[in-house]
Amino acid sequence: GNTAIIPLTCKPRDLWHLRYGHASTTVLRKLHLIKSTFDSRKCVPCLRAKKTRKPFSPSDSKAEAKLERIHSDICGQFPDSEDNTTYNLIFIDELTRWAHSIDLKDKSSATLKEKFSEYIAEVERQTGMKVKKLHVDGGGEYKGQLTPILKSLGIKYEPTPPRTPECNGKAERMNRTLNNMVRAMLAQANMPNSFRAHNLLSGTY
């Protein structure tokens, strides 16, 4: 692999670009509490890590309250992770776009049941509201032991047709954004892919 050190491409006053996981200039301008004039188009790690693709077809958002609809997807498989993390599970609230990222050792039905139960308990306790719908891709990972949990909690299960990631656009877009950030951060710090899972958590934060 390439072991060359990538030089720091921004001045100290513009380190917010790095601190926010190589956020674009447009995103930095929206953060009124910081001052950054950095032009992300000149960032070498960004150019190396971020590739464009056609956008997914927009879907009308009908959520009118927090936790009314949660979008979820699994990202991975990661190579040679430091903590044996193999996959990343993400949950996104449709209304607020608040993202919750969870490391997974595997994507078995039992593991998803455990992590989903923990997620539900945390967000419902913190918000005082209830999750009503779970929107996921149709790959089948969310079936099995998770199905009885959804039924017992009265959560509507919304799987998309198989092999149609564009129908799960919000989660797919978030995964794309996070992976762009991770690739740029790894390139900037000259770190190996074994830190990819750690950087995904950092990017979500």
Side-chain angles (χ1 to χ4, degrees), residues 83-96:
D83 59 354
N84 296 320
T85 294
T86 308
Y87 300 93
N88 182 265
L89 174 65
I90 192 164
F91 295 107
I92 307 161
D93 177 46
E94 183 173 300
L95 180 69
T96 64

Side-chain angles (χ1 to χ4, degrees), residues 180-198:
N180 282 346
M181 293 170 66
V182 167
R183 284 191 293 268
M185 287 190 288
L186 290 176
Q188 178 70 49
N190 198 36
M191 297 175 69
N193 279 331
S194 57
F195 288 91
R196 190 180 187 91
H198 294 298

